[in-house]
Amino acid sequence: MKQKTLLTTFFSRFFILFLNFGLVIYTTNFWGSEGKGSISIVIADLTVISFFANIFVGSSMSYFASRYKIEEILPFAYLWSVITGISIPLLFSFSHAVPYSGYLISLSVLTSLLTANVNLFVGQKNITMFNIYTILQQLIHIIFIIIIVYLINISSIEAYFMAQAGCLGLLFLTSIFQIVKPGMLKRISFSGATGKKLFSYGWKTQLSAFLQFLNNRLSFYFLEYFRGMVSVGVFSVGIAVSEAVWTISRSLSVILYADVINTASPHQAIEKTKISLRISFLITLLFIAVMLIIPARVYSFIFGKDFSQTKEIVLLLAPGILAIAVSNIIGYYFAGINKLRILNVKALIGLIFTLVSSFLIIPKWGIRGACIITSLSYCLSSGLLFWRFYRITEFRFRDYFLSKAEMGILMKKLQKK
């Protein structure tokens, strides 16, 4: 793992973290807890749709980018993006009322198209472009919100989704010019064998991701049913604050994944994984400590009086957030070596625990119950992944702490930056 790439990714994630907080603060203060709850539900629906789309546009794009030509895999991704982005929101509408369904369709299609392009960069080990587009998704979204709200004078929640759609559309068009080369359109082909491999790898990784998402967000739907949309809004802000620290571990995971799928040596892959474990553990621990030091009244001042429980939510979620931040690294290692079964088992165990516990606890304890269930579920599923990883390698406590030499190298790099 190149130190320059690692540090660049770290600083880009830190900037994204800053932008995420800014967006959360703005939405909670401008649209309130109910408005934030509505946004959270739509984004949750969008995430569900993306799991189906990511069968072709997600990890399979990265995994096969070095194994096939772009014109052999990208057409599958684009076609699948349009099909799932339109059909799945329509299927949702038959089962329940879908708020802002028009925006949900456009966001689904555009998100998938852009995701395909960004994941191609990962497969080509072009982490710089991955970082740039990840930052721009947040930055341009915020800029467009400001334009729509204060220049066009649209102050409803629709402004949020309009800005997001405009941002995704602009970035997709920009990335197209960087990916498509002269003469490539003439070489586009749809091979049944290629499509089968993309689908086989994609559905396995997405099954795990979908189960993990349900594990992460099932509490939203239970809270909405038992306690109403306001509770969802309050809980979602606490979740957003806590999970913001995952931007670091997820970025490290992407770098690790790009390295593992392009590394022939199993020993090197394991050593790179352990380096990522150390960094993810220490940085996440630091961020959690900072969030717990901040007084509760500061959270209320930042997000509004409706969100006085944010500090308590962060405290209850902290153990699970730390566990997931580290297990994300191990999960991407297994995905990189195409060992996907353990990821599905891990996510399924967490989901079953969440499902059963939510029925029993959330009706009585509300937001506090949702926090406890979520944190315990994270720890349980992560524990299984730790156990499996350390069955194939020696467990060492120093895997989670930087050596003096590594600290010296890191400080020198930081000083240069």
Side-chain angles (χ1 to χ4, degrees), residues 211-222 226 347-363 369-370 373-374 376-378 380:
L211 292 174
Q212 186 61 50
F213 164 78
L214 290 178
N215 188 17
N216 294 355
R217 291 292 180 266
L218 201 60
S219 299
F220 280 35
Y221 297 100
F222 278 103
F226 289 112
L348 184 60
I349 288 176
L351 176 60
I352 292 173
F353 176 83
T354 300
L355 187 63
V356 174
S357 301
S358 294
F359 273 113
L360 299 174
I361 296 177
I362 289 181
I373 291 168
T374 301
L376 288 175
S377 177
Y378 288 172
L380 178 64

Side-chain angles (χ1 to χ4, degrees), residues 110-413:
L110 292 170
T111 299
S112 300
L113 292 172
L114 179 60
T115 300
N117 292 353
V118 172
N119 281 323
L120 272 178
F121 293 136
V122 174
Q124 296 167 347
K125 296 193 71 172
N126 191 350
I127 304 300
T128 299
M129 292 310 304
F130 168 80
N131 288 331
I132 289 173
Y133 275 93
T134 307
I135 291 173
L136 289 177
Q137 286 183 59
Q138 299 294 328
L139 182 60
I140 296 178
H141 186 192
I142 293 172
I143 293 172
F144 279 13
I145 287 177
I146 294 172
I147 293 172
I148 292 172
V149 171
Y150 297 104
L151 296 182
I152 305 178
N153 293 321
I154 298 176
S155 58
S156 65
I157 297 176
E158 292 186 12
Y160 182 96
F161 303 117
M162 292 169 63
Q164 190 175 14
C167 168
L168 294 170
L170 176 63
L171 292 178
F172 169 68
L173 293 175
T174 303
S175 61
I176 279 288
F177 288 106
Q178 295 176 281
I179 290 174
V180 177
K181 306 299 181 183
M184 185 179 292
L185 295 177
K186 297 179 181 179
R187 300 192 298 270
I188 288 177
S189 62
F190 286 90
S191 167
T194 302
K196 185 177 180 180
K197 289 183 178 180
L198 287 167
F199 182 82
S200 177
Y201 184 86
W203 81 261
K204 292 175 184 176
T205 57
Q206 287 313 115
L207 176 60
S208 169
F210 181 65
L211 292 174
Q212 186 61 50
F213 164 78
L214 290 178
N215 188 17
N216 294 355
R217 291 292 180 266
L218 201 60
S219 299
F220 280 35
Y221 297 100
F222 278 103
L223 276 174
E224 182 189 12
Y225 181 78
F226 289 112
R227 295 299 181 98
M229 190 65 75
V230 172
S231 293
V232 176
V234 174
F235 181 63
S236 69
V237 170
I239 287 283
V241 171
S242 301
E243 293 183 357
V245 297
W246 284 352
T247 57
I248 304 297
S249 70
R250 284 169 175 165
S251 301
L252 291 169
S253 300
V254 170
I255 297 174
L256 174 68
Y257 181 67
D259 282 340
V260 170
I261 62 179
N262 289 281
T263 298
S265 170
H267 176 73
Q268 288 184 8
I270 290 174
E271 287 306 308
K272 289 178 180 180
T273 302
K274 289 188 174 183
I275 292 172
S276 298
L277 282 175
R278 297 173 200 168
I279 299 170
S280 180
F281 174 77
L282 293 173
I283 293 177
T284 303
L285 191 62
L286 175 63
F287 272 101
I288 289 176
V290 171
M291 289 191 298
L292 293 179
I293 291 173
I294 298 173
R297 62 179 180 275
V298 174
Y299 287 104
S300 298
F301 174 77
I302 293 174
F303 299 111
K305 59 182 178 62
D306 292 341
F307 301 93
S308 58
Q309 284 184 266
T310 302
K311 171 76 178 281
E312 182 184 4
I313 293 172
V314 172
L315 176 63
L316 293 173
L317 290 173
I321 296 299
L322 180 61
I324 289 292
V326 180
S327 68
N328 276 341
I329 305 294
I330 301 175
Y332 271 83
Y333 164 77
F334 282 120
I337 62 173
N338 202 7
K339 301 292 184 181
L340 304 175
R341 185 172 179 271
I342 184 62
L343 301 181
N344 294 329
V345 173
K346 163 245 186 185
L348 184 60
I349 288 176
L351 176 60
I352 292 173
F353 176 83
T354 300
L355 187 63
V356 174
S357 301
S358 294
F359 273 113
L360 299 174
I361 296 177
I362 289 181
K364 297 179 180 179
W365 292 2
I367 294 175
R368 290 187 182 90
C371 293
I372 294 171
I373 291 168
T374 301
S375 192
L376 288 175
S377 177
Y378 288 172
C379 291
L380 178 64
S381 58
S382 297
L384 176 64
L385 213 54
F386 294 146
W387 171 78
R388 183 65 181 87
F389 180 72
Y390 284 109
R391 283 192 64 190
I392 62 175
T393 183
E394 181 185 358
F395 176 80
R396 299 173 300 180
F397 281 106
R398 66 176 180 269
D399 289 341
Y400 297 91
F401 297 95
L402 295 175
S403 66
K404 289 184 179 180
E406 291 169 333
M407 283 294 293
I409 293 173
L410 180 60
M411 292 305 298
K412 288 180 181 178
K413 292 292 183 179

Side-chain angles (χ1 to χ4, degrees), residues 33-49 92 96-100 104 107 157 160-161 213 217-225 228-233 235-236:
S33 57
E34 186 172 356
K36 176 58 180 173
S38 298
I39 292 173
S40 298
I41 291 296
V42 172
I43 297 301
D45 285 342
L46 177 63
T47 306
V48 171
I49 295 166
F92 279 1
H96 67 280
V98 179
Y100 309 102
L104 183 59
L107 290 173
I157 297 176
Y160 182 96
F161 303 117
F213 164 78
R217 291 292 180 266
L218 201 60
S219 299
F220 280 35
Y221 297 100
F222 278 103
L223 276 174
E224 182 189 12
Y225 181 78
M229 190 65 75
V230 172
S231 293
V232 176
F235 181 63
S236 69

